[in-house]
Amino acid sequence: MADTSQRALRLLSLLMARHQWSLGELASRLGVSERTARRDIETLRGLDYPITTVRGPGGGYRLDTGHALPSLRFDDDQALAVAVALQTAPSTVFGLADDSARALETLTQAMPARVRASMETLRLTRLRNYWEFPAPPVDPDTLTAVAGAVRHRHVLAIGTLRPDGSRALPGDTDFAPARRVEPHHLVVWAARWYLVAYDLAEEAWRIHRVDRLVPRPTTQPFTARALPGGDVARFVMTSHDRGDTPTAWPCTGTARLDLPAGVVARWAPGGSVVEHLDADHCRLTLGAWSWAGVAGILATFDTGITDVTPAELVDACHRLAERWSAAAGPTS
């Protein structure tokens, strides 16, 4: 009975992997006779899997779309990919958070131990932002190395790539030697991956863009530290230095805002840069498809704005001011 069940699952996996199979191909893949393969097909049909017989030359069997979602069978890589996707899918559709969490829990329970361990390595925190912008893809090896160090509490040596993704070499003006950090949290926010880590040389907490890291794992263990404030979401969203560089937009400008850097950092678009000036002021660098777009985003902060550059952004601010004035009508 156990052999029959295993063959049925293997047969189901084959039918899901390709549009159509001949009986001979299925029997060969299963290592059984055609008569046994035909019996296994009937077993799946008895479990309500819609398997259709295709008649004529070149015929065979195919798994059709049924009226209900059948049980699915994934290989290890497919299961891991689905688990990561459920955690990192952009928050562009409202009302699916609970469903995604339930789906992830169901998938996790069905995973063999080896796959569950890999998935737990990539367990992360996802934060929400009102802006979602495309981010550079993260190298899978980099992500695995960083996630593994977080999970196993091992010190991580990290180098940093240039903003264009190239690696600085010794002798370059922007070369920085690898730093040793204690990696505590892996976070996804505004479609970007961040590492929250304690820098051993600076003796301070830092946030790093994972797509700009060159990690070198170690086996040196460390003891978990208490994050300032204890809230990783707030720490990431209110930190003005997250290792971000301006996204490559057609129009990029800067302005001085009469707000603390921590406030602006929480709501600034991903890929923008917030520079701390003093307790009540910061400088925001951001981009958009047009100068009016940059000016419009600046206006959403509803505060005093000065030192606007470049001149194209200043002109856009004047044009929007005229439009808003006309739209508001005469002052009562």
Side-chain angles (χ1 to χ4, degrees):
M1 178 63 71
D3 290 342
T4 301
S5 299
Q6 291 177 1
R7 276 202 323 275
L9 288 174
R10 174 61 178 158
L11 173 59
L12 179 60
S13 179
L14 291 172
L15 291 170
M16 288 178 172
R18 206 169 84 185
H19 177 66
Q20 184 173 311
W21 295 85
S22 70
L23 181 61
E25 289 175 319
L26 290 174
S28 176
R29 290 295 190 97
L30 295 172
V32 297
S33 66
E34 292 188 1
R35 180 179 180 181
T36 300
R38 190 180 292 110
R39 187 184 306 123
D40 290 340
I41 290 172
E42 293 305 319
T43 297
L44 290 180
R45 283 172 170 165
L47 295 174
D48 292 331
Y49 287 98
I51 302 174
T52 298
T53 301
V54 181
R55 306 293 182 182
Y61 297 90
R62 67 166 179 252
L63 182 64
D64 288 339
T65 302
H67 296 291
L69 182 65
S71 300
L72 302 178
R73 179 175 173 82
F74 299 114
D75 61 30
D76 291 3
D77 292 338
Q78 289 173 325
L80 188 58
V82 172
V84 172
L86 286 170
Q87 294 184 78
T88 61
S91 303
T92 55
V93 179
F94 293 105
L96 293 183
D98 291 342
D99 294 328
S100 296
R102 289 192 300 109
L104 181 61
E105 182 63 25
T106 300
L107 182 62
T108 302
Q109 293 299 321
M111 286 179 175
R114 63 183 183 279
V115 183
R116 189 181 302 114
S118 298
M119 195 277 288
E120 289 295 337
T121 296
L122 289 174
R123 178 77 69 174
L124 50 94
T125 301
R126 179 172 177 82
L127 311 182
R128 298 176 69 90
N129 192 10
Y130 284 104
W131 287 281
E132 293 280 351
F133 291 98
V138 177
D139 180 77
D141 292 337
T142 296
L143 185 59
T144 300
V146 173
V150 171
R151 178 171 185 254
H152 297 295
R153 296 289 188 217
H154 285 169
V155 170
L156 189 66
I158 56 171
T160 305
L161 296 173
R162 293 188 177 103
D164 64 2
S166 63
R167 185 180 304 195
L169 301 175
D172 295 346
T173 56
D174 56 355
F175 174 76
R179 308 186 67 83
R180 294 174 68 82
V181 302
E182 295 174 351
H184 281 73
H185 303 279
L186 191 60
V187 172
V188 174
W189 184 42
R192 284 171 169 77
W193 296 75
Y194 294 96
L195 170 66
V196 179
Y198 186 82
D199 191 297
L200 294 174
E202 296 182 2
E203 297 185 346
W205 289 90
R206 292 288 181 260
I207 302 173
H208 304 272
R209 279 270 298 273
V210 176
D211 60 279
R212 296 192 61 208
L213 293 184
V214 181
R216 189 175 74 247
T218 76
T219 56
Q220 178 185 342
F222 67 86
T223 302
R225 301 174 186 265
L227 185 71
D231 187 339
V232 65
R234 180 173 178 79
F235 181 75
V236 172
M237 290 189 295
T238 60
S239 296
H240 61 272
D241 183 5
R242 294 189 291 265
D244 284 318
T245 54
T247 303
W249 291 101
C251 303
T252 302
T254 68
R256 182 178 186 269
L257 276 61
D258 296 342
L259 285 173
V263 173
V264 174
R266 179 163 188 169
W267 307 112
S272 59
V273 176
V274 183
E275 177 187 356
H276 173 81
L277 298 179
D278 57 44
D280 300 312
H281 302 87
C282 68
R283 175 166 291 279
L284 175 62
T285 301
L286 75 161
W289 295 112
S290 66
W291 291 113
V294 178
I297 296 176
L298 288 174
T300 64
F301 287 94
D302 194 22
T303 189
I305 300 174
T306 56
D307 298 340
V308 178
T309 59
E312 292 86 348
L313 179 55
V314 175
D315 293 339
C317 290
H318 284 301
R319 291 195 303 273
L320 285 184
E322 293 172 356
R323 293 171 188 167
W324 288 329
S325 179
T331 303
S332 58

